Amino acid sequence: MSEKYIIAPSILSADFTQLGAEVQNVIQAGADWIHFDVMDNHYVPNLTFGPMICESLKPITKNLRTADNEPVLIDVHLMVSPVDPLAESFAKAGADLISFHPDASVHVHRSIQSIKAQGCKVGLVFNPAQPLDVLNEVIEELDLILIMSVNPGFGGQSFIPSSLQKIERVRRLIHACGKSIRLEVDGGIKPNNIRQVADAGADAFVAGSAIFGQQDYTKVITEMRTSLK
Ligand code: DX5
Ligand code: ZN
């Protein structure tokens, strides 16, 4: 994966009455990936959307290119348990990246293997109180590590400051393993804190309310990119 910073708007905060246009608009405004926050009202206390939404948006993302003329990736964040059945359905529906919470899977290594076997890139997601220990066993298998800087379930929450130290620890683990693994952060990312999160070691940023809550997507994404320079 390229080393540039990734901006991944979460459609959780998009206008669902015109989701296709929202996806086109944020990519034309300078975003890179489209982040799908999938919630099952079991692993987290909220229910969002399933593979059908991914399937309906795939023809749109497939025909888009980022400002750097890169493919627009569908970045699926599974806040579900069990993991494997929905991971398979999202892979079939066109997901490019699938990340899941290790505490939501009985057999983490098998879930990783199964996602990769379907041709998707794979990531693990860590809630604020979730230890990183499992990375000692599987970090070499990963394309992405996603650090939650809020407790999962809702958009519009405030960034948890202690996440910065966790991001620094993950960056050290990625450096030690020598593989190019994306370090994504999700929750409470705004133009006024994205630099701090990047300085801690993140290189991919999920933002829902900070982007879709604004009138001018180009303005807010440009603000984020300027802060990252
Ligand atoms: C929580 C969700 C949110 C969302 C980002 O489960 O994963 O973190 O993506 O929402 P904002 O950017 O509004 O905090
Ligand atoms: Zn997410």
Side-chain angles (χ1 to χ4, degrees):
M1 288 193 181
S2 75
E3 293 319 308
K4 67 159 283 194
Y5 287 123
I6 295 292
I7 304 282
S10 164
I11 57 171
L12 184 66
S13 302
D15 175 354
F16 268 70
T17 66
Q18 46 177 343
L19 202 47
E22 290 276 76
V23 165
Q24 285 170 322
N25 294 342
V26 281
I27 296 301
Q28 278 147 18
D32 300 292
W33 298 352
I34 299 297
H35 188 81
F36 282 51
D37 278 312
V38 181
M39 303 179 191
D40 65 358
N41 200 40
H42 169 64
Y43 177 71
V44 289
N46 198 356
L47 182 64
T48 56
F49 42 79
M52 194 175 61
I53 295 284
C54 183
E55 205 163 355
S56 61
L57 290 174
K58 186 66 181 182
I60 293 174
T61 59
K62 225 172 170 169
N63 290 325
L64 290 171
R65 280 284 179 273
T66 69
D68 296 323
N69 200 29
E70 297 277 341
V72 174
L73 301 189
I74 290 183
D75 170 32
V76 173
H77 170 194
L78 293 179
M79 289 164 270
V80 305
S81 183
V83 169
D84 297 2
L86 272 172
E88 187 174 341
S89 309
F90 270 96
K92 290 192 169 74
D96 298 291
L97 279 140
I98 297 176
S99 54
F100 66 94
H101 293 248
D103 45 306
S105 169
V106 178
H107 298 287
V108 173
H109 189 276
R110 181 189 306 185
S111 297
I112 290 170
Q113 282 181 316
S114 132
I115 289 168
K116 291 171 87 163
Q118 292 167 84
C120 294
K121 294 199 178 296
V122 65
L124 285 184
V125 195
F126 294 88
N127 289 329
Q130 181 67 25
L132 299 170
D133 305 15
V134 69
L135 290 178
N136 296 329
E137 314 308 327
V138 296
I139 192 168
E140 302 277 345
E141 306 291 331
L142 302 179
D143 301 294
L144 172 90
I145 297 169
L146 174 53
I147 297 301
M148 294 303 295
S149 38
V150 295
N151 286 297
F154 303 93
Q157 301 178 79
S158 301
F159 183 86
I160 297 173
S162 60
S163 312
L164 293 170
Q165 289 77 13
K166 194 166 189 179
I167 294 162
E168 284 169 357
R169 280 190 281 138
V170 172
R171 178 49 67 192
R172 285 197 292 274
L173 289 172
I174 292 173
H175 182 71
C177 112
K179 237 193 104 184
S180 106
I181 299 171
R182 277 281 173 197
L183 204 180
E184 190 174 31
V185 179
D186 181 349
I189 300 290
K190 311 287 179 205
N192 67 6
N193 66 14
I194 195 168
R195 175 75 259 171
Q196 211 184 0
V197 179
D199 289 346
D203 57 19
F205 308 89
V206 176
S209 52
I211 295 176
F212 287 112
Q214 303 297 319
Q215 280 302 316
D216 184 341
Y217 297 159
T218 305
K219 182 169 174 292
V220 61
I221 291 174
T222 304
E223 267 177 64
M224 289 179 163
R225 291 217 187 274
T226 306
S227 307
L228 290 169
K229 280 200 173 83

